[in-house]
């Protein structure tokens, strides 16, 4: 047990899929896992462990933002001996070529804080995903004829920005925006583990398309299935 996770050590799998929304974690677990068991619900951040095609997997909410996922991912890596975390979340598109419901596999995350310096001793605004895990996702996507986009994600600390978001993205060569991958990659570096981030585009800064919360909860399953297909081959 840790201050933020009440599960016993043997109740958390070596592979964790991590959506931001705890209710999305619940839906994923109940849809895909055999005999899913609720193993932690501190602060209503729901963690479920079950089996998928014979492989034990935990699906756990992370909350929003780098501080939140930073706490959960560090505790999972450090105190629960988790080897792999795949964030499965939503993102906004800065690109006219990346549209709503497209899947984005984050190769690098651009952060806006000193999180990586403080957590992992890495003084850089850009962090890479786990190379082996990133490449495995791409391999599985190709095998299953799932198109993915990849590049640099903006891991923003501010949802309501003063500066124009698209102009900021152009200056920094950013494709999409979300709020967690930078901290997840930092905690993986700090603990010598593997992390990746899969995103489904929920809205576009270019076309102004926007999905509802219900659509995000129910219609992002292709990304989830890609993460699960990757998990069983790790």
């Amino acid at each position: 047990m840790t201050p933020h996770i009440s599960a016993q050590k043997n109740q958390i799998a070596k592979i964790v899929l991590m959506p931001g929304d705890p209710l999305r974690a619940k839906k994923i677990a109940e849809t895909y896992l055999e005999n899913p068991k609720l193993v932690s619900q501190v602060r209503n951040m729901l963690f479920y462990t079950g089996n998928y095609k014979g492989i034990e997997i935990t699906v756990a909410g992370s909350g929003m933002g780098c501080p939140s996922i930073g706490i959960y991912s560090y505790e999972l890596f450090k105190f629960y001996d988790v080897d792999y975390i795949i964030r499965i979340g939503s993102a906004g598109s800065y690109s006219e070529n990346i549209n709503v419901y497209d899947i984005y596999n984050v190769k690098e995350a651009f952060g806006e804080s000193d999180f990586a310096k403080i957590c992992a001793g890495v003084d850089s605004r850009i962090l890479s995903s786990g190379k082996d895990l990133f490449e495995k996702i791409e391999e599985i996507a190709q095998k299953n004829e799932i198109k993915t986009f990849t590049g640099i994600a903006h891991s923003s600390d501010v949802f309501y920005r003063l500066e124009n978001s698209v102009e900021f993205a152009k200056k920094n060569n950013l494709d999409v925006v979300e709020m967690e991958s930078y901290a997840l990659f930092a905690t993986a570096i700090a603990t010598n583990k593997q992390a990746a981030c899969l995103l489904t585009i929920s809205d576009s800064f270019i076309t102004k398309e926007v999905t509802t919360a219900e659509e995000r909860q129910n219609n992002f399953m292709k990304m989830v299935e890609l993460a699960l297909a990757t998990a069983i081959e790790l």
Side-chain angles (χ1 to χ4, degrees):
M1 297 174 63
T2 68
H4 308 96
I5 304 171
S6 60
Q8 298 300 312
K9 192 169 183 177
N10 63 0
Q11 292 179 312
I12 300 291
K14 296 294 184 182
I15 304 167
V16 176
L17 305 189
M18 187 164 267
D21 184 350
L23 292 181
R24 197 178 304 163
K26 181 176 187 290
K27 182 175 180 63
I28 291 166
E30 293 178 346
T31 300
Y32 291 102
L33 300 186
E34 295 178 19
N35 303 314
K37 180 180 179 182
L38 180 64
V39 296
S40 182
Q41 52 184 326
V42 177
R43 295 174 179 255
N44 284 327
M45 195 57 67
L46 307 178
F47 285 43
Y48 292 86
T49 297
N51 285 281
Y52 180 76
K53 296 186 178 180
I55 302 297
E56 188 178 54
I57 292 174
T58 295
V59 183
S62 73
M64 289 192 292
C66 283
S68 186
I69 198 172
I71 289 170
Y72 291 111
S73 61
Y74 187 88
E75 291 183 1
L76 287 168
F77 282 139
K78 183 72 174 180
F79 304 114
Y80 285 89
D81 296 335
V82 168
D83 292 325
Y84 303 97
I85 295 177
I86 303 175
R87 164 164 152 68
I88 42 177
S90 58
S93 173
Y94 289 139
S95 170
E96 62 185 12
N97 299 316
I98 304 173
N99 299 304
V100 169
Y101 295 126
D102 283 342
I103 296 174
Y104 192 90
N105 184 13
V106 178
K107 188 171 186 179
E108 294 178 311
F110 176 96
E112 296 185 289
S113 73
D114 287 332
F115 190 103
K117 184 178 181 180
I118 296 166
C119 176
V122 178
D123 191 8
S124 176
R125 285 285 185 259
I126 297 179
L127 299 181
S128 296
S129 61
K131 183 176 183 294
D132 293 343
L133 189 51
F134 171 84
E135 290 179 353
K136 177 60 71 173
I137 291 170
E138 289 295 286
E139 175 191 324
I140 299 300
Q142 186 174 22
K143 184 189 298 184
N144 289 278
E145 299 182 341
I146 297 172
K147 183 178 181 180
T148 60
F149 294 83
T150 187
I152 306 176
H154 178 197
S155 194
S156 177
D157 283 338
V158 181
F159 191 88
Y160 300 103
R161 305 183 69 83
L162 179 63
E163 182 180 6
N164 180 277
S165 296
V166 176
E167 290 177 5
F168 181 86
K170 286 180 179 178
K171 283 192 301 185
N172 293 283
N173 298 312
L174 308 173
D175 298 320
V176 301
V177 59
E178 50 87 61
M179 304 188 76
E180 289 84 27
S181 59
Y182 185 72
L184 174 60
F185 295 172
T187 60
I189 292 168
T191 55
N192 197 29
K193 300 297 181 71
Q194 288 272 316
C197 179
L198 274 174
L199 304 166
T200 298
I201 303 305
S202 60
D203 57 279
S204 171
F205 284 81
I206 307 302
T207 67
K208 308 304 180 184
E209 290 179 275
V210 178
T211 59
T212 66
E214 184 178 4
E215 287 172 330
R216 291 194 294 275
Q217 181 168 310
N218 295 318
N219 296 338
F220 284 14
M221 292 312 189
K222 183 182 286 187
M223 168 184 65
V224 175
E225 289 166 6
L226 174 55
L228 287 165
T230 300
I232 63 175
E233 293 206 16
L234 293 175

